[in-house]
Amino acid sequence: MAVLTQLLKPEQILFWEFYWSQILRRDAAVEECRQLYDKLRLTYPNEMEMMKDAFENFCGNIRFESDRN
């Protein structure tokens, strides 16, 4: 996580968008995002807000593999 703090905001957003693009199931992605946010929000508040924004912007507009049933 410390490496992310050294990146510019656009680079952090790109990282998180790429990270969330690897998720196949919506419920698993939502749970993982919640757990990451809860665990790191006090130590890395700015980075976790960017992670949450990237998740909402990216995952809110994609079709997960689990949605194709």
Side-chain angles (χ1 to χ4, degrees), residues 5-49:
T5 64
Q6 304 301 311
L7 299 176
L8 298 173
K9 183 177 179 174
E11 294 169 322
Q12 289 185 40
I13 294 291
L14 286 173
F15 168 83
W16 287 115
E17 287 178 348
F18 176 77
Y19 181 85
W20 294 121
S21 72
Q22 308 305 311
I23 305 297
L24 295 178
R25 295 184 47 206
R26 183 175 302 278
D27 55 345
V30 169
E31 180 61 21
E32 184 172 350
C33 183
R34 185 192 64 75
Q35 287 180 10
L36 279 171
Y37 184 82
D38 289 348
K39 182 177 181 179
L40 299 171
R41 68 184 169 85
L42 296 176
T43 307
Y44 301 102
N46 294 332
E47 289 75 13
M48 289 298 93
E49 285 303 314

